[in-house]
């Protein structure tokens, strides 16, 4: 983990060759050490804690060294040390050890933390700040705490030795271990039992898996007895003149903890009481350690020993600390001060002493509240006390605190939070009165109740679950929050007002841990909690600080479990009005058949993904490995199968020719049990990004008309793809799949593509240009090739419903089908970001196609679900994965039902026709007549209507014809519809030079020619 492990690779050339030569010259002639077979050995070494970023980043935050007692007798580690030196170094950094290692027992030494990593090691038995190199180094186990000397230490002081990595210049046996890495530790074989004094033979590289003294597995023979595991606080702090107690407990996995005594340090006034033996094997025994009010100021260290039914003992140290009381200088309300907004404390940056009842403990401090308060609603009665480590007070105690009053402002915050820090004294004073929560509604000024115990009386709605797994957070609000530019055009007063309202109406429900949870909180039925679910019984302390998404917010740290209601239940695929073609738009969230670990679905290794001219594994964006890929594939296939569309437009599929889309199509067909779907052959231009758009369709329902087209214009980083289809009734339409530039990875500077604070994010100008190129340049080419004006634009536009790029398309005549079909019944959304919901995924139909759209809907199976239930396997406290389609992606699919119809339909049979005889007008020389058309059916007939005169007598001309169809004149009646029994009259004027008899056949059409 030293800085050298973070350097970029050197460019090839003379410097690299010289470095290699120098490395070769530095290797010793003999690089081995002979150490007698040891009882205690180094069983695991890992030096890349917190290293790296991206797919190959270390999961664990810390370096560590693990020891193991492979013998059948206890070994005292008192006076021993583990020591580290660099691969060729002679400077040794010792870490002193302590305690006794039982047979088969491990011992974990946690060392320095790196900048990254998402998980801590198991609880260490010893800690030190030494930083180890990630790939190669040397570790020694010594029976002395004195630092070793030289590059190749030996002698009686060296109990065990490991040279790890190819460049280690000293090691046991024939060679060092292999090179370690971010995801690789050196692990002694046979669970630590093998010791042939040859590092290369005794160690295998594998995933780091640290073990501490709670793990015992003897080498050979019967398993050793598991130890008693005590749970004791390090300290019982009390104020002079106050009595107090704390509970101690112990468990034993294979025995019954049966007794507890004060082993040493007992004095009058300190006693154990209320011992309760474990109810059975593996149960918990408990006892109360009590201190009397008569104890004088001072420190009273003692050791409490637990014993079990098999004669084992285990001790835990506890110090009773009696402190004198400093005088209260300010009450908590006085420190907080009156606030109508975000007013800082009037006593900021001064040292004060205050007291209050402890209402909640967290990992790095506690909240306390004035027992009486000042009856002023503008000044908070509560405050947070930052202790940096686990606090020693208990909930319900009165604590007197001396420390610096400070205004804490997390990075990026627009306000601060009054708290105590640099605390010099935290003195418990015994039990305090119960604090009654203050009833509030969300929307109140939370600054006036910061640090206080509150009860939120109104029902709140879950608005974001993105950070539930890693932070234990859910964002709550009064109802569902909509992205301002999903409802109103950007920069309008309405959009600005909605943004302000959204920001003021949120609070984050935290889990009170301040660390990554080990159990995912708030999960309900179906192993999920969904955006849109509602929450009541919200009682807790109002906090403020950093939350997921690199932002800040007021938070509620609950003191009791909230009550969730599944107000937004999971639903099946949407049912739309029947048509003859079903279209779906689905973002498949980086479906890659090449993985981030360099593998692929064929089992090959050393593979990569192409971006531009580079092909590397780091370009791959989907599954990390085959295990994750199968999980991802199964969810996506389940989603597509349930949608049962006739044609899919897909986004975020690997840009590796037809391979990824063909694989997905085959998997879908296998799930269906028949070859239902086929791939639409890709157009010539697929772009230079790692992902592309694609289409698959049902050949039994649709036929391809011509080949697919794409637009390779430089504005398109991911070219749109178009394909014309013909339905079973002979009607055609063209589908265009799009994936406009994303809102993230903002450019530098203040240009039009920067985030302008109007809710549209970054690259908005580029998206506008892409939309303009689409409707003004590319689609006209598609229409010309198809010979048909019916066009449907779908895909991830990375623009919400009322943003500039969408208006570019609607201003060009395209009709927004989600606004048409979804908005009248609720908020259209396909994506949740920043606790706001909106739709990035669109369906826009040309003016000629829009009347043929029977329905459109979103299937909310992805955006509402928490990220933690997706296909990924890393960084999760629990694995709640299943192969159901929910959370197959982060976008919801959009489904469109088309009822493709001819432009005109013969409706003659629906009319009663009565024609008058032709009358000759001598003044004009014309013949005139009229025709009455009556709707003879039970339902309304849709217009406009075309009255066509087929087979009109030769030489006769219809003077008032609206036009000619297939050589026959017709008259248009521009009625939108005709009700049952209603009549329309059509006047007819003829020129008949011969003045002979006239005849024709009447045909009536609905529609336009």
């Amino acid at each position: 983990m030293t800085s050298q492990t973070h350097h970029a690779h050197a460019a090839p050339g003379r410097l690299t060759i010289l470095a290699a030569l120098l490395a070769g010259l530095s290797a010793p002639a003999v690089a081995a050490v002979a150490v007698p077979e040891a009882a205690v050995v180094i069983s695991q070494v890992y030096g890349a804690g917190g290293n790296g970023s991206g797919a190959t980043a270390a999961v664990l935050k810390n370096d560590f060294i693990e020891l193991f007692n492979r013998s059948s007798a206890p070994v005292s580690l008192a006076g021993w040390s583990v020591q580290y030196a660099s691969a060729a170094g002679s400077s040794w950094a010792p870490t002193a050890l302590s305690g006794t290692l039982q047979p088969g027992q491990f011992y974990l030494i946690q060392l320095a933390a790196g900048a990254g990593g998402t998980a801590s090691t198991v609880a260490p038995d010893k800690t030190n700040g030494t930083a180890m190199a990630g790939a190669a180094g040397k570790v020694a186990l010594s029976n002395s705490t004195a630092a070793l000397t030289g590059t190749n230490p030996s002698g009686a002081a060296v109990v065990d030795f490991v040279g790890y990595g190819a460049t280690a210049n000293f090691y046991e046996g024939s060679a060092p271990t292999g090179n370690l890495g971010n995801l690789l530790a050196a692990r002694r074989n046979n669970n630590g039992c093998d010791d042939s004094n040859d590092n290369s033979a005794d160690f295998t590289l594998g995933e780091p898996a640290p073990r501490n003294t709670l793990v015992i597995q003897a080498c050979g023979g019967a398993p050793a007895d598991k130890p008693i595991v005590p749970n004791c606080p390090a300290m019982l702090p009390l104020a002079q003149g106050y009595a107090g107690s704390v509970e101690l407990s112990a468990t034993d996995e294979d025995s019954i903890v049966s007794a507890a005594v004060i082993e040493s340090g007992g004095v009058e006034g300190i006693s154990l009481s209320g011992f309760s033996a474990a109810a059975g094997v593996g149960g918990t025994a408990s006892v109360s350690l009590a201190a009397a009010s008569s104890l004088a100021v001072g420190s009273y260290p003692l050791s409490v020993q637990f014993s079990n039914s098999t004669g084992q003992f285990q001790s835990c140290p506890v110090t009773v600390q009696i402190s004198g009381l400093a005088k209260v200088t300010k009450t908590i309300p006085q420190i907080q001060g009156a606030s109508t907004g975000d007013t800082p404390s009037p006593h900021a940056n001064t040292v004060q002493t205050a007291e209050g009842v402890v209402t909640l403990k967290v990992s790095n401090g506690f909240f306390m509240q004035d027992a009486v308060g000042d009856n002023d609603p503008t000044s908070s009665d509560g405050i947070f006390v930052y202790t940096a480590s686990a606090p020693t007070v208990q909930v319900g105690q009165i604590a007197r605190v001396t420390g610096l009053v400070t205004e804490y402002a997390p990075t990026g915050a627009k306000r601060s939070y009054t708290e105590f820090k640099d605390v010099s004294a935290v003195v418990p004073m015994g039990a305090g009165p119960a604090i009654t929560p203050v009833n509030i509604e969300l929307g109140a000024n939370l600054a006036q109740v910061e640090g206080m115990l509150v009860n939120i009386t109104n029902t709140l709605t879950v608005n974001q679950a993105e950070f539930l797994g890693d932070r234990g957070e859910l964002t709550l609000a009064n109802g569902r929050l909509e992205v301002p530019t999903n409802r109103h055009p950007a920069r309008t007063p309405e959009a600005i007002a909605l943004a302000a309202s959204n920001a003021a109406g949120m609070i984050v429900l935290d889990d009170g841990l301040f660390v990554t949870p080990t159990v995912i909180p708030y999960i309900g039925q179906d192993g999920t909690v969904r955006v849109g679910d509602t929450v009541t019984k919200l009682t807790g302390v109002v906090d403020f600080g950093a939350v997921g998404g690199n932002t800040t917010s007021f938070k509620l740290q609950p003191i009791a479990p909230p009550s969730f209601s599944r107000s937004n239940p999971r639903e099946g695929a949407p049912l739309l009005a029947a048509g003859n073609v079903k279209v779906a738009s689905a973002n498949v969230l980086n479906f890659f058949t090449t993985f981030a670990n360099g593998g692929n679905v064929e089992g090959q290794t050393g593979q990569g993904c192409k971006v531009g001219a580079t092909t590397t594994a780091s370009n791959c964006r989907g599954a990390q490995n085959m295990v994750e890929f199968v999980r991802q594939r199964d969810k996506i296939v389940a989603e597509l199968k349930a949608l049962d569309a006739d044609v899919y437009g897909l986004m975020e599929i690997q840009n590796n020719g037809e391979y990824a889309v063909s694989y997905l199509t085959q998997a879908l067909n296998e799930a269906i049990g028949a070859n239902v779907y086929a791939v639409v052959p890709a157009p010539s231009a697929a772009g230079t990004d790692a992902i592309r758009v694609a289409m698959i369709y049902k050949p039994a329902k649709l036929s391809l008309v011509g080949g697919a087209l794409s637009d390779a214009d430089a504005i398109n980083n991911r070219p749109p793809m178009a394909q014309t289809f013909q339905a079973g009734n002979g009607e055609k339409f063209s589908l265009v799949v799009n994936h406009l530039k994303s809102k993230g990875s903002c450019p530098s500077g203040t240009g039009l593509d920067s985030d302008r604070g109007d809710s549209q994010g970054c690259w908005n100008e580029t998206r506008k240009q892409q939309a303009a190129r689409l409707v003004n340049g590319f689609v006209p080419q598609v229409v010309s090739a198809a010979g048909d004006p019916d066009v449907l634009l779908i895909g991830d536009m990375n623009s919400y419903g009322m943003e500039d790029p969408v208006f570019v398309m609607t201003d060009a005549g395209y009709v927004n089908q989600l606004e048409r079909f979804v908005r009248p019944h609720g908020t259209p959304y396909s994506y949740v970001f920043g606790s706001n919901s909106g739709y990035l995924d669109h369906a826009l139909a040309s003016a000629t196609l829009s009347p043929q759209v029977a329905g459109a809907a979103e299937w909310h199976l992805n955006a509402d679900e928490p990220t933690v239930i997706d296909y990924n396997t890393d960084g999760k406290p629990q694995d709640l994965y299943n192969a159901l389609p929910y959370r197959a992606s982060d976008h919801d699919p959009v489904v469109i039902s088309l009822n493709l119809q001819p432009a005109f339909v013969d409706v003659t049979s629906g009319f009663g026709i009565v024609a008058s005889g032709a009358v000759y007008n001598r003044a004009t020389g014309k013949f005139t007549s009229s025709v009455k058309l009556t709707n003879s059916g039970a339902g309304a007939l849709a217009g406009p209507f075309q009255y066509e005169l087929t087979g009109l007598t030769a030489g006769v001309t219809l003077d008032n014809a609206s036009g000619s169809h297939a050589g026959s004149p017709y008259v248009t009646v521009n009625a939108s519809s005709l009700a049952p029994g209603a009549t329309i009259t059509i006047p007819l004027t003829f020129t008949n030079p011969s003045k002979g008899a006239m005849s024709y056949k009447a045909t009536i059409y609905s529609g336009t020619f």
Side-chain angles (χ1 to χ4, degrees):
M1 184 161 34
T2 53
S3 60
Q4 64 190 26
T5 64
H6 298 282
H7 290 171
H9 294 296
R14 294 179 60 190
L15 291 177
T16 306
I17 296 169
L18 178 60
L21 289 171
L22 290 174
L25 292 173
S26 68
V30 178
V33 58
V35 177
E37 188 171 314
V40 177
V41 292
I42 300 165
S43 54
Q44 192 171 181
V45 176
Y46 177 64
N51 281 9
S53 61
T56 59
V59 175
L60 294 178
K61 299 176 181 178
N62 294 81
D63 301 346
F64 68 84
I65 299 168
E66 180 192 274
L67 306 180
F68 176 64
N69 182 357
R70 55 190 296 275
S71 75
S72 59
V75 177
S76 173
L77 300 181
W80 287 29
S81 64
V82 291
Q83 305 198 22
Y84 166 76
S86 62
S90 59
S91 177
W92 292 86
T95 300
L97 309 177
S98 60
T100 297
L101 208 53
Q102 300 298 320
Q105 193 171 32
F106 290 88
Y107 188 98
L108 183 63
I109 302 101
Q110 178 177 283
L111 301 176
T118 58
S120 300
T121 62
V122 296
D125 302 301
K126 185 67 64 175
T127 59
N128 192 303
T130 299
M132 299 167 60
K138 296 178 294 193
V139 177
L141 174 62
S142 174
N143 59 19
S144 169
T145 58
L148 299 171
T149 59
T151 61
N152 53 347
S154 60
V158 180
V159 177
D160 193 26
F161 195 96
V162 176
Y164 68 92
T167 59
N169 67 357
F170 202 57
Y171 41 83
E172 284 189 8
S174 62
T177 75
N179 284 334
L180 307 192
N182 294 355
L183 303 177
L184 292 176
R187 300 170 60 177
R188 188 177 289 274
N189 297 332
N190 195 16
N191 286 323
C193 294
D194 286 357
D195 185 18
S196 67
N197 291 322
D198 188 330
N199 291 161
S200 64
D202 289 338
F203 284 85
T204 299
L205 303 189
E207 181 181 353
R211 295 162 287 193
N212 59 14
T213 49
L214 296 181
V215 180
I216 294 180
Q217 47 191 39
C219 297
D225 287 341
K226 300 294 176 63
I228 298 171
V229 180
N231 180 19
C232 305
M235 183 174 293
L236 171 58
L238 290 170
Q240 183 184 18
Y242 290 84
S245 63
V246 67
E247 185 177 277
L248 318 179
S249 63
T251 60
D252 192 325
E253 187 177 335
D254 57 2
S255 186
I256 297 174
V257 180
S258 54
V261 296
I262 295 178
E263 181 181 26
S264 62
V267 298
E268 185 176 353
I270 298 177
S271 61
L272 296 179
S273 62
F275 178 79
S276 176
V281 172
T284 300
S286 62
V287 68
S288 178
L289 174 66
S293 61
S294 58
L295 287 171
V297 171
S299 181
Y300 301 88
L302 60 133
S303 177
V304 176
Q305 184 186 78
F306 288 93
S307 58
N308 65 14
S309 55
T310 59
Q312 289 179 299
F313 300 90
Q314 190 65 267
S315 300
C316 58
V318 182
T319 297
V320 177
Q321 184 70 47
I322 307 299
S323 303
L325 281 173
K327 182 180 178 181
V328 171
T329 59
K330 299 292 180 184
T331 67
I332 295 173
Q334 288 172 334
I335 290 172
Q336 287 283 8
S339 174
T340 56
D342 298 329
T343 310
S345 167
H347 302 288
N349 301 314
T350 65
V351 175
Q352 302 291 341
T353 298
E355 72 177 37
V357 179
V358 178
T359 54
L360 180 68
K361 291 172 58 175
V362 294
S363 61
N364 61 356
F366 62 94
F367 296 86
M368 67 178 186
Q369 187 165 330
D370 192 275
V372 178
D374 65 350
N375 293 317
D376 181 354
T378 68
S379 61
S380 171
D381 296 335
I383 196 167
F384 180 65
V385 180
Y386 175 69
T387 58
S389 58
T392 55
V393 294
Q394 302 300 319
V395 172
Q397 287 181 324
I398 296 178
R400 188 168 293 187
V401 175
T402 301
L404 179 69
V405 176
T406 187
E407 289 295 319
Y408 169 63
T411 302
K414 297 179 181 179
R415 69 175 309 279
S416 59
Y417 185 75
T418 306
E419 65 178 30
F420 272 114
K421 75 164 193 172
D422 298 337
V423 175
S424 59
V426 176
V427 185
M429 300 167 55
I435 299 295
T436 301
V438 175
N439 289 332
I440 65 168
E441 287 192 0
L442 187 59
N445 184 353
L446 295 178
Q448 296 177 346
V449 290
E450 65 176 41
M452 288 181 63
L453 194 59
V454 303
N455 176 51
I456 299 177
T457 57
N458 52 327
T459 299
L460 302 185
T461 300
V462 177
N463 272 267
Q464 181 167 267
E466 177 77 12
F467 308 104
L468 181 62
D470 57 347
R471 299 182 64 97
E473 296 175 349
L474 291 173
T475 304
L476 309 180
N478 292 314
R480 186 157 197 149
L481 304 180
E482 185 175 6
V483 174
T485 49
N486 201 62
R487 179 175 288 271
H488 306 292
R491 302 173 295 278
T492 60
E494 293 84 359
I496 294 169
L498 182 55
S501 173
N502 287 353
M506 289 190 296
I507 191 169
V508 171
L509 174 63
D510 207 346
D511 59 357
L513 297 180
F514 285 37
V515 293
T516 299
T518 56
V519 176
I520 303 169
Y522 310 129
I523 291 293
Q525 67 186 81
D526 304 319
T528 189
V529 56
R530 286 171 54 86
V531 173
D533 287 348
T534 53
V535 194
T536 56
K537 298 183 180 178
L538 288 161
T539 302
V541 175
V542 175
D543 185 17
F544 180 84
V547 296
N550 297 316
T551 184
T552 57
S553 174
F554 279 104
K555 300 186 278 187
L556 184 76
Q557 304 293 349
I559 65 167
S563 178
F564 286 81
S565 297
R566 182 54 48 83
S567 304
N568 181 26
R570 286 176 170 175
E571 296 179 346
L575 299 175
L576 300 180
N580 51 13
V581 177
K582 185 194 288 188
V583 181
S585 171
N587 183 313
V588 293
L589 187 58
N590 294 318
F591 183 81
F592 276 56
T593 52
T594 311
F595 314 140
N597 69 352
N600 65 16
V601 294
E602 304 288 346
Q604 297 171 311
T605 58
Q607 305 301 300
C609 300
K610 187 173 183 180
V611 174
T614 66
T615 301
T616 65
S618 62
N619 287 337
C620 301
R621 304 179 185 176
Q624 300 281 323
N625 49 52
M626 190 66 184
V627 171
E628 286 193 346
F629 172 77
V630 170
R631 290 158 58 112
Q632 179 189 29
R633 176 200 68 197
D634 291 352
K635 276 191 171 291
I636 293 172
V637 166
E639 175 185 317
L640 299 182
K641 180 181 177 182
L643 284 169
D644 190 33
D646 299 319
V647 56
Y648 291 98
L650 305 176
M651 293 118 265
E652 293 195 23
I653 198 158
Q654 185 177 355
N655 190 1
N656 58 348
E658 303 283 35
Y659 191 91
V661 67
S662 296
Y663 185 101
L664 180 60
T665 305
Q666 180 181 348
L668 178 57
N669 285 336
E670 289 176 355
I672 295 170
N675 289 325
V676 174
Y677 288 94
V679 176
V680 175
S684 57
T688 58
D689 199 353
I691 55 177
R692 72 176 182 97
V693 299
M695 292 188 214
I696 65 177
Y697 74 109
K698 290 180 178 178
K701 292 291 295 292
L702 296 169
S703 300
L704 304 183
V705 179
L709 301 176
S710 60
D711 185 14
D713 188 89
I715 194 62
N716 296 314
N717 58 318
R718 293 180 287 260
M721 173 182 177
Q723 176 65 55
T724 301
F725 296 94
Q726 186 173 51
N729 65 352
E731 290 304 304
K732 295 188 295 185
F733 79 102
S734 296
L735 183 66
V736 185
V737 185
N738 302 272
H739 191 183
L740 303 190
K741 189 166 181 62
S742 72
K743 294 176 178 287
S745 301
C746 300
S748 58
T750 58
L752 294 178
D753 270 327
S754 64
D755 189 341
R756 306 179 71 78
D758 60 1
S759 183
Q760 298 190 100
C762 299
W763 303 108
N764 188 59
E765 180 63 24
T766 292
R767 286 191 296 277
K768 286 172 60 179
Q769 294 177 27
Q770 290 175 331
R773 170 67 189 178
L774 174 68
V775 295
N776 299 323
F778 182 51
V779 171
Q781 299 174 35
V782 175
V783 169
S784 176
D788 190 285
D790 293 345
V791 178
L792 181 63
L793 308 178
I794 63 171
D796 178 1
M797 306 295 185
N798 273 308
S799 304
Y800 292 110
M802 297 294 160
E803 292 188 353
D804 297 339
V806 180
F807 283 124
V808 169
M809 292 181 274
T810 55
D811 288 348
Y814 287 84
V815 180
N816 189 329
Q817 302 302 313
L818 295 182
E819 291 294 323
R820 177 185 171 195
F821 287 101
V822 179
R823 176 72 72 182
H825 309 289
T827 301
Y829 69 93
S830 66
Y831 196 71
V832 174
F833 181 77
S835 304
N836 289 192
S837 300
Y839 64 102
L840 299 174
D841 304 87
H842 291 255
L844 299 112
S846 63
T848 58
L849 181 62
S850 186
Q852 302 172 75
V853 177
E858 301 141 324
W859 185 14
H860 301 306
L861 82 166
N862 292 324
D864 287 338
E865 301 283 345
T867 307
V868 74
I869 71 168
D870 69 10
Y871 71 86
N872 290 280
T873 59
D874 59 322
K876 293 183 177 182
Q878 289 174 278
D879 190 2
L880 299 179
Y881 171 86
N882 59 46
L884 297 175
Y886 303 100
R887 198 64 191 189
S889 174
D890 53 350
H891 290 247
D892 290 330
V894 175
V895 191
I896 308 98
S897 176
L898 302 180
N899 190 22
L900 298 176
Q901 296 295 325
F904 53 91
V905 180
D906 187 339
V907 292
T908 308
S909 62
F911 282 93
I913 305 174
V914 177
S916 66
V919 176
Y920 181 68
N921 186 327
R922 292 182 180 277
T924 62
K926 305 291 184 181
F927 288 85
T928 60
S929 69
S930 64
V931 178
K932 291 185 177 181
L933 305 180
T934 302
N935 182 353
S936 59
L941 292 170
F945 301 103
Q946 315 296 335
Y947 184 76
E948 182 178 277
L949 288 67
T950 305
L952 181 63
T953 301
V956 177
T957 303
L958 178 63
D959 292 353
N960 65 326
S962 301
S964 176
H965 171 242
S968 298
Y970 64 89
V971 177
T972 300
V973 179
N974 285 311
S976 59
S977 65
L978 190 65
T983 297
I984 53 177
T985 300
I986 303 173
L988 301 174
T989 302
F990 299 95
T991 296
N992 183 0
S994 69
K995 298 183 177 58
M998 297 184 298
S999 65
Y1000 63 87
K1001 177 183 177 183
T1003 306
I1004 306 168
Y1005 294 96
S1006 170
T1008 57
F1009 294 134

